[in-house]
Amino acid sequence: MSRPEPVLLARINTPDSASLETYRRDGGYEALRKALSMAPEEVINEVKDSGLRGRGGAGFPTGLKWTFLPKGHPGPIYLAINADESEPGTFNNRILMEQDPHQIIEGIAISCYAIKSNCSYLYLRYEYGKSYRALEKAIQECYAAGILGDNVLGTGFKLDVVLHRGAAAYICGEETGLIESLEGKRAWPRIKPPFPAIEGLFRKPTIVNNIETMACVKQILQRGAAWFKSVGVPPDPNNPRDAGSFGPKLYCLSGHVNKPGCYEVPLGITARELIEEYGGGVPNGRQIKAVVPGGISMGFLSASELDTPLDFNGPGKVGCLGLGTAAVVVIDDSASMVDVLYNCCRFFSHESCGQCTPCREGTAWMTKIMYRIRSGQGELRDLDLLMEVASSIGIIPGTTICGLSDGAAWPVKNAIKKFRGEFEDYIKAGKSSIKPAELVAAH
Amino acid sequence: MAVLSESIRERIKALYSKYPTRQAITLPALHMVQDEMRYVPLEAVKEIAELLELHPAEVHDTLSFYGFFKDEAHKLGKHRVWVCRSISCVLRGGEELLAHLCEKYHVHPGQQTADGKMTLEFAECLGACEGAPCILVDDNCEMNMTPESAEALVDKL
Ligand SMILES: Cc1cc2nc3c(=O)[nH]c(=O)nc-3n(C[C@H](O)[C@H](O)[C@H](O)COP(=O)(O)O)c2cc1C
Ligand code: SF4
């Protein structure tokens, strides 16, 4: 199979790829220069025309989000960049920041100009030390070169970019949790509306966008909206709410696969193609049991659903929550779905911010029930109980403030629906699969 | 006597101009203190609050939300070693890795070794899944770990 040339990842293997010098040599900051010669509204229209949808998980159209800002606002308006990347299986933002930080800063500068913001805060998860150092150096280089500061590229446009490190909490990736955390508070997501575009960071109009979204913005300005729209999948004519899945996407492949890694592929590749053609298949001749399509929040594909296209529309058609972060985790038949689901439940109960009772209690009880099942003490009716809890927590049933709990519910719903036989057999056998190793490290 | 060093005070003040509110400097300030002192003493909370024109309870509220920050009873060793226990790592031996380190260094997750060299912890997804199982040493990620290579890494600290 011939692979399309990477664009977002084009520079990552260049020697010294993170330096301003090599970035400029490769044509860096010319897209910013071009944007600065346009009217801000024209830049927004270019991004709108490209069909770009946010890469952080929700897939909201980026240009449209930008138009929600109040017109003629006296400012300040903020751009908050979401680099909290903590959805299990996801690591594409990290690769972009470590290897090509200037591509991100150029995307940020273009976006700030478009939305008339003079200040961007980049919220970076604490664990990404290498990203922090790469971005810090790149930002310093930009101030020294007049790309950031009071007179961006000599045009009089003023722009500051401030790096802000988090403190190891998944909920800081939820956009209003991020805002609260940046303000120096506990990261309790806010009730919406108001949406951040109206009242966000420091109570000012704010756009929150993901790192990969910023890389896309830079490439759209460089190559044009038509280029972006020529890649990927047009809207599904049978789904009036589908805005299409345009552009290249950074798929993260991990788990039981020969060549795990981050691959840039046009949106719409199937899970099977990704695993076989990019990931080199499953090791040791084993069979695939399940695949996480876009971070564990999105649920599971079963082995019979591997031809699902991984675009914004595909995973939902087979009962998953969506494309999410496009983090594909392969689970082979040596793994137990009971263990896998327990791991998912534990993650969400650990990361629930505790603000909404259905989420705090629901995630904790699902974890306890899964532990009971795992330890061989489960009963068949526990499966129905799990389904009942999972169906009642989240913004979809309307019981919680943010989507963490939908993400906690989905793996449970998918696993029990698609792998019920395995769960029943496990419960009937009455044995425990808890490894001695886990007891040693019990916490 | 003040617990915040002069250098920390200066670094906190240097951030005033970067944010429209002083409260936004809470996390950066807590990081500075914990990096230097290996925990955040209550006295430091009060002094941070004074600098940021907050009530100490506001700083403490934020601190206590993030399990990342430790109080005196949970003081950190010289280094933090985090072992990932999320899905991609667990599929490739993350639990065994954590158990190996616990046994080898006689600690439970969250505890520091007797010589104070490291605190061993579990982590949720470290975002290095292509190199599972992985370990974070302070804020440097190490990928494709085996029990042996992890041990070698810890012994070099
Ligand atoms: C629990 C939860 C965690 C999230 N974590 C992240 C994250 O780590 N990074 C991210 O970009 N978006 C994350 N999101 C989505 C953000 O709320 C938001 O939609 C996104 O940052 C918007 O950027 P985009 O439009 O460029 O995708 C998360 C959402 C939820 C509900
Ligand atoms: S749904 Fe869960 S994580 Fe989200 S605000 Fe409510 S308690 Fe917090």
Side-chain angles (χ1 to χ4, degrees), chain A residues 146-169:
Chain A
I147 296 166
L148 292 175
D150 290 335
N151 190 9
V152 174
L153 294 176
T155 59
F157 176 57
K158 178 180 179 315
L159 179 60
D160 286 310
V161 175
V162 179
L163 261 181
H164 192 96
R165 295 182 90 170

Side-chain angles (χ1 to χ4, degrees), chain A residues 45-99:
Chain A
N45 283 336
E46 191 74 16
V47 172
K48 258 187 169 171
D49 291 346
S50 73
L52 170 63
R53 293 171 65 176
R55 289 343 195 198
F60 197 83
T62 306
L64 182 63
K65 190 194 275 189
W66 293 358
T67 63
F68 294 161
L69 289 166
K71 305 280 170 288
H73 192 275
I77 290 170
Y78 295 110
L79 177 67
I81 298 299
N82 192 340
D84 193 56
E85 189 168 71
S86 310
E87 175 68 29
T90 314
F91 51 91
N92 51 18
N93 289 358
R94 190 197 89 235
I95 290 180
L96 288 170
M97 293 185 285
E98 286 179 357
Q99 306 298 335

Side-chain angles (χ1 to χ4, degrees), chain A residues 159-211:
Chain A
L159 179 60
D160 286 310
V161 175
V162 179
L163 261 181
H164 192 96
R165 295 182 90 170
Y170 172 69
I171 196 57
C172 296
E174 196 280 340
E175 57 185 6
T176 58
L178 181 149
I179 287 171
E180 289 283 313
S181 179
L182 236 167
E183 290 183 355
K185 304 171 190 157
R186 53 175 59 220
W188 272 9
R190 294 178 182 171
I191 294 173
K192 291 154 277 243
F195 288 94
I198 304 300
E199 188 183 312
L201 188 57
F202 307 119
R203 309 200 63 173
K204 299 295 178 194
T206 302
I207 294 295
V208 182
N209 273 139
N210 171 265
I211 288 284

Side-chain angles (χ1 to χ4, degrees), chain B residues 83-100:
Chain B
V83 182
C84 180
R85 63 167 191 177
S86 287
I87 185 89
S88 306
C89 280
V90 160
L91 289 173
R92 288 175 164 253
E95 302 269 19
E96 289 79 359
L97 194 60
L98 179 59
H100 179 82

Side-chain angles (χ1 to χ4, degrees), chain A residues 173-415:
Chain A
E174 196 280 340
E175 57 185 6
T176 58
L178 181 149
I179 287 171
E180 289 283 313
S181 179
L182 236 167
E183 290 183 355
K185 304 171 190 157
R186 53 175 59 220
W188 272 9
R190 294 178 182 171
I191 294 173
K192 291 154 277 243
F195 288 94
I198 304 300
E199 188 183 312
L201 188 57
F202 307 119
R203 309 200 63 173
K204 299 295 178 194
T206 302
I207 294 295
V208 182
N209 273 139
N210 171 265
I211 288 284
E212 187 186 342
T213 308
M214 288 298 104
C216 292
V217 167
K218 129 89 193 190
Q219 298 299 345
I220 288 164
L221 263 288
Q222 178 149 336
R223 293 157 181 262
W227 159 75
F228 198 79
K229 237 182 166 161
S230 73
V231 180
V233 188
D236 176 355
N238 298 320
N239 180 358
R241 288 167 62 189
D242 181 19
S245 302
F246 296 107
K249 179 79 193 86
L250 301 182
Y251 291 93
C252 303
L253 191 53
S254 68
H256 293 141
V257 60
N258 280 313
K259 289 188 279 179
C262 177
Y263 298 105
E264 178 175 343
V265 185
L267 272 164
I269 190 170
T270 67
R272 190 188 307 282
E273 287 165 338
L274 187 69
I275 294 163
E276 284 175 4
E277 286 160 29
Y278 288 81
V282 177
N284 309 321
R286 289 202 165 268
Q287 298 300 310
I288 293 175
K289 180 185 275 188
V291 171
V292 171
I296 58 173
S297 300
M298 299 297 123
F300 303 99
L301 300 171
S302 67
S304 63
E305 294 165 343
L306 297 181
D307 294 313
T308 302
L310 300 176
D311 56 29
F312 287 110
N313 211 19
K317 286 189 180 166
V318 292
C320 295
L321 188 51
L323 178 65
T325 61
V328 175
V329 185
V330 183
I331 299 160
D332 76 18
D333 57 2
S334 68
S336 153
M337 286 309 285
V338 177
D339 292 346
V340 167
L341 186 59
Y342 170 71
N343 188 276
C344 296
C345 288
R346 184 181 64 184
F347 174 82
F348 291 107
S349 69
H350 188 254
E351 297 301 329
S352 166
C353 83
Q355 181 176 203
C356 319
T357 308
C359 173
R360 182 187 64 243
E361 298 300 317
T363 55
W365 279 103
M366 292 195 303
T367 308
K368 283 181 192 158
I369 298 169
M370 279 310 301
Y371 190 83
R372 182 163 75 201
I373 293 177
R374 262 191 104 203
S375 64
Q377 309 288 310
E379 296 174 30
L380 286 174
R381 59 175 186 179
D382 285 342
L383 298 178
D384 296 325
L385 188 57
L386 280 167
M387 285 301 261
E388 194 184 322
V389 176
S391 308
S392 62
I393 64 173
I395 46 180
I396 294 174
T399 58
T400 63
I401 291 174
C402 93
L404 179 139
S405 40
D406 300 270
W410 236 262
V412 175
K413 289 203 249 189
N414 278 183

Side-chain angles (χ1 to χ4, degrees), chain B residues 6-18 25 32 51-52:
Chain B
E6 219 22 66
S7 123
I8 288 184
R9 285 171 185 276
E10 288 313 312
R11 279 155 61 213
I12 290 176
K13 287 180 191 162
L15 292 177
Y16 287 175
S17 64
K18 296 203 172 191
I25 302 165
M32 290 176 204
L51 284 168
L52 302 186

